[in-house]
Amino acid sequence: MAATSPTSVKLSKGQKKMLRKQVKAQHVLRKNDGIATVSGPTEHLVIANGGLGNGVNRQQLLEVLQTFGTVETLLMSPNKPYALVTFRTIQEAREAHKGLNGQDLKTNGSSQPITLYVNFVEKVVHEEIPPLSLPPGLLVIEEFISLACEERLLAFADGNTHVTKENVQKSLKHRRVKHYGYEFRYDNNNVDKDKPLPGGLPEICGDILEQSMEKGYVKFKPDQLTINQYEPGQGIPPHIDTHSPFEDGIICLSLGAETVMDFRHPGGHSVPVMLPPRSLLVMTGECRYLWSHGITPRKFDVVPASEMPKTGIISADASNLTLNKRGTRTSFTFRKVRKKPCDCAILGIPHGRRWLNSSKRCQMEHWWLMLAVEMVNTWELTRTCS
């Protein structure tokens, strides 16, 4: 009777399933991201399901990988479901390949664990990402108020905000909102200038407004305030604050938890910006009128992994990104209601023409800008799903 060849070891049902999943991961990586795997061992691995897009943060994955050896490079790109890793030696990579394939990993964002599938790759390339710049007219002032002032404002907001139940505000997804000075109407993105709310702006905001004017962040003293409270998982769609009802210069104070706000140019250029607690966001000029801004509804944000200050632009450097769990954020957004017809002169769409100085033209321009933003958003969604 012939001896059984060591290469013909029969695989168990579980091993066969894992192998099929591993091969499927190879095809998906090649099709979606052009990542080609190799059969022979190298120092480099691609870990399917181990990316930021699957809710895996950098520290969590790094701790697992370091049990197999020295990690020289770990790349985790925004929204991608995989990670790329380079070990110091081939043997360390081989051990990780063997030890992690088919293993479950518990993530903070889900009650169900994810299963990792590991393949060798020829090399891991760290591409240099050109630095982004803030949209013209955008400022983020860190520590604009003290911690004590923040606590007073949060206590005030907690005692005065409520869930609005009017039909025109169903799109708010039940985030808590309160208006002062004038009520902002979400059905037409406007205010009724002839119906100011009694009481004006709260006295507790007086020092904030005076300081904003003294430092030149706004030219007019705001007379309209919207307080929003966002729980983790809530956000606000990309939008441009209506042009004709408000003067140039909108300021927004962030309280409680930090969050990432996305700014998008009608041409498709997007800039993610970190808003820390107690920071003041200032939008004027082009940023105010041309760029949309919004907060994606999610429970985790992609943020820099290093301990450096996280105010401002979030780079797409895959070697320095991780996930940050959102907390409850409260925003105080101040605007100045325009009492006269709009006399602005900003660059419009298309072809950079300057619109005529009239309220009707401003409304038309806002409509065109929002249409352009919506077209870009639709294109991005179609590209992501295809």
Side-chain angles (χ1 to χ4, degrees), residues 313-382:
I313 296 173
I314 296 176
S315 168
D317 182 3
S319 67
N320 185 38
L321 292 177
T322 189
L323 296 179
N324 182 58
K325 188 175 183 179
R326 282 186 181 175
T328 300
R329 173 180 176 264
T330 300
S331 66
F332 281 52
T333 301
F334 299 92
R335 307 175 181 90
K336 171 64 177 177
V337 173
R338 191 186 298 275
K339 298 299 194 301
K340 299 179 181 179
C342 182
D343 60 353
C344 71
I346 68 168
L347 294 177
I349 293 179
H351 310 307
R353 290 199 302 264
R354 289 186 180 271
W355 295 105
L356 298 179
N357 296 333
S358 71
S359 178
K360 185 175 181 180
R361 284 296 187 185
C362 287
Q363 292 174 353
M364 289 176 61
E365 179 178 38
H366 176 72
W367 184 86
W368 277 108
L369 291 174
M370 292 304 295
L371 177 61
V373 171
E374 184 62 30
M375 290 174 65
V376 171
N377 291 342
T378 302
W379 176 78
E380 287 285 354
L381 179 61
T382 303

Side-chain angles (χ1 to χ4, degrees), residues 58-319:
R58 174 176 295 273
Q59 188 59 35
Q60 178 186 19
L61 183 59
L62 189 59
E63 289 177 359
V64 173
L65 294 173
Q66 287 175 336
T67 62
F68 299 98
T70 302
V71 176
E72 294 193 339
T73 303
L74 177 58
L75 302 183
M76 304 179 76
S77 298
N79 306 316
K80 294 297 184 180
Y82 61 84
L84 294 165
V85 59
T86 297
F87 281 94
R88 183 175 57 185
T89 67
I90 292 178
Q91 182 59 33
E92 291 173 340
R94 193 200 301 267
E95 292 295 328
H97 181 275
K98 179 181 177 181
L100 288 180
N101 237 327
Q103 295 300 306
D104 289 340
L105 184 66
K106 188 75 165 55
T107 65
N108 293 327
S110 174
S111 59
Q112 296 295 325
I114 60 171
T115 304
L116 304 178
Y117 298 100
V118 185
N119 286 282
F120 291 106
V121 291
E122 189 66 38
K123 58 182 178 179
V124 169
V125 179
H126 181 203
E127 297 182 359
E128 292 294 331
I129 305 297
L132 298 174
S133 57
L134 289 174
L138 175 65
L139 293 175
V140 180
I141 297 93
E142 194 171 1
E143 298 295 338
F144 184 74
I145 61 172
S146 66
L147 182 60
C149 180
E150 179 187 37
E151 292 174 350
R152 291 193 297 270
L153 290 170
L154 285 173
F156 172 82
D158 288 338
N160 287 274
T161 54
H162 65 280
V163 177
T164 305
K165 297 181 179 179
E166 297 176 23
N167 291 334
V168 296
Q169 299 197 9
K170 284 184 178 179
S171 62
L172 297 183
K173 304 292 185 183
H174 303 293
R175 72 174 186 266
R176 302 174 68 192
V177 61
K178 180 72 173 181
H179 302 289
Y180 294 89
Y182 295 84
E183 181 175 3
F184 188 86
R185 295 183 54 186
Y186 293 92
D187 56 340
N188 60 6
N189 291 325
N190 212 326
V191 295
D192 191 338
K193 302 177 184 179
D194 298 324
K195 294 182 179 180
L197 298 174
L201 268 57
E203 292 184 7
I204 195 172
C205 300
D207 290 343
I208 297 170
L209 302 182
E210 292 298 332
Q211 187 177 354
S212 298
M213 293 188 66
E214 288 177 5
K215 294 184 178 297
Y217 298 140
V218 289
K219 298 178 181 178
F220 310 93
K221 187 173 183 178
D223 55 9
Q224 195 276 332
L225 165 65
T226 298
I227 301 178
N228 280 295
Q229 289 189 334
Y230 302 86
E231 296 296 333
Q234 295 179 329
I236 185 169
H239 67 284
I240 300 173
D241 283 63
T242 315
H243 188 174
S244 54
F246 302 112
E247 297 282 359
D248 189 12
I250 295 176
I251 56 176
C252 180
L253 188 65
S254 293
L255 308 172
E258 61 189 1
T259 197
V260 174
M261 180 173 284
D262 296 305
F263 291 82
R264 184 184 294 272
H265 190 275
H269 179 53
S270 183
V271 179
V273 177
M274 173 64 78
L275 303 180
R278 300 178 297 281
S279 67
L280 185 72
L281 173 71
V282 182
M283 294 184 290
T284 60
E286 181 178 319
C287 175
R288 154 77 172 94
Y289 292 116
L290 188 61
W291 292 65
S292 72
H293 59 278
I295 299 175
T296 303
R298 58 194 176 206
K299 295 186 177 181
F300 291 85
D301 282 319
V302 177
V303 300
S306 61
E307 295 300 322
M308 61 171 38
K310 297 178 180 178
T311 304
I313 296 173
I314 296 176
S315 168
D317 182 3
S319 67

